[in-house]
Amino acid sequence: MTVPLSVLDLAAVAADGSHSQALADTLTVAGEVDRLGYRRFWVAEHHGMPGIASSAPPVLIAAVAAATERIRVGSGGVMLPNHSSLVVAEQFGTLVALHGDRIDLGLGRAAGTDPLISSTIRRGAAAEAVEDFPKQVVELMAYFGVIPPLRGGQGDRIRAIPGHGDAPQLWLLGSSDFSARLAAMLGLPFAFAHHFAGGRTTPLVFELYRREFTPSAVLSEPHSMVAVATVVADSAAEARRRTLPQNLVQLRMRTGQLPQRIPTLAEAEAYQWSDAENAFVDDRNAQQAVGTLDQVRARIDELVADTGADEVIVAPQGPTVTDRLHTLRALAELPD
């Protein structure tokens, strides 16, 4: 028996595409995975990234929720230090008021962008805004009425309308042990970004979360999810080929190049891959779930066994939306 599967969508903007097409593709994928029976559909928050059109999660979540019927829709995630906790509570309280118990609010503490854009978003606020993340999470919980009002402040003199009594399902997201510890301390569900930060130490983060978990009004026992980049194709070679555009993006970012749109498959194949770069691709793919359907099934089962995760959220890779839909349709055949 496998764990429930969900989908993380980045609204990828192809080199030969547009923002409109990227967002239309997101809605197409959302409608299909709703039909296929996936549990959740999450969108991310990134700023100033030419290859990602998902910069305003609440707006995109509203569009996805309106275009689907039963699937849970949420953020993977909202980068809370970029925002006022009150505004986030009002935005997601509004989404809950509109769409009922289908809304998830995944929270992260990274900027989702570079320092210049981050400073602009935060109107010059210093880096300690990130260090205030635990306090912001507690404020948000108070605004939603998940915990009692904070004395003299959130939920007492200041109320989120909508928001109070309109709580989404809260998750803490992380790419290190910091958020795992915080999620455990606050008794919240935890989702780990193995799809970009994971390695062979990923299981240790989940073990830490479970070991330090404290029951809360939200959860009586730990609940976790692991994110994994996924490609299903008819052969392992074809699956690897379909990962080349995203892997080229990763390589360019690691060498300090300015972000660009997602290269086409032709551009990625024409790139002169060195032996070291090919080794990078193979090592990264080995940590994810890339290959034939049987290989991907086995890798997801292995990841669940290693981490003890209660859910898996797949980030489908591929140069076109057709490729990504192929992966998601194939995975939908996984047994319940």
Side-chain angles (χ1 to χ4, degrees), residues 54 57 85-86 92 115 119 137 151 163 178 192 215 219 288 293 297:
S54 179
S85 299
L86 176 60
F92 279 80
S119 177
V137 175
R151 184 172 300 173
F178 176 91
F192 183 71
L219 281 180
Q288 304 303 317
L293 180 56
R297 282 177 170 172

Side-chain angles (χ1 to χ4, degrees), residues 39-243:
R39 174 170 287 189
R40 310 175 194 276
F41 186 87
W42 283 6
V43 299
E45 176 184 345
H46 291 276
H47 301 279
M49 299 287 287
I52 300 177
S54 179
S55 58
V59 179
L60 189 50
I61 288 167
V64 171
T68 54
E69 295 181 359
R70 48 134 227 110
I71 197 168
R72 299 193 65 85
V73 184
S75 61
V78 163
M79 301 297 105
L80 192 53
N82 290 341
H83 310 285
S84 156
S85 299
L86 176 60
V87 171
V88 172
E90 291 172 339
Q91 290 171 340
F92 279 80
T94 299
L95 288 168
V96 171
L98 286 169
H99 299 288
D101 185 25
R102 292 178 55 205
I103 304 300
D104 297 336
L105 173 53
L107 299 167
R109 71 182 184 117
T113 188
D114 63 45
L116 177 61
I117 296 175
S118 174
S119 177
T120 302
I121 291 170
R122 299 169 185 171
R123 299 177 63 85
E128 54 262 25
V130 173
E131 304 310 316
D132 284 343
F133 179 65
K135 177 184 174 183
Q136 283 188 283
V137 175
V138 172
E139 288 176 352
L140 197 56
M141 294 171 71
Y143 282 133
F144 284 129
V146 173
I147 61 174
L150 301 182
R151 184 172 300 173
Q154 289 74 19
D156 184 359
R157 293 185 299 106
I158 305 172
R159 296 173 71 89
I161 307 294
H164 189 82
D166 304 302
Q169 189 175 114
L170 290 169
W171 287 74
L172 281 193
L173 316 183
S175 56
S176 68
D177 62 2
F178 176 91
S179 289
R181 292 182 184 277
L182 182 60
M185 181 179 72
L186 296 177
L188 294 175
F190 173 64
F192 183 71
H194 179 82
H195 65 299
F196 73 83
R200 293 169 179 81
T201 60
T202 291
L204 300 178
V205 177
F206 285 83
E207 182 182 343
L208 172 68
Y209 168 67
R210 286 191 294 272
R211 185 173 67 247
E212 298 192 2
F213 182 84
T214 301
S216 70
V218 176
L219 281 180
S220 60
E221 58 186 27
H223 189 89
S224 60
M225 179 160 59
V226 61
V228 59
T230 309
V231 177
V232 174
D234 293 337
S235 69
E238 175 60 19
R240 183 189 191 279
R241 176 174 173 264
R242 293 181 187 181
T243 71

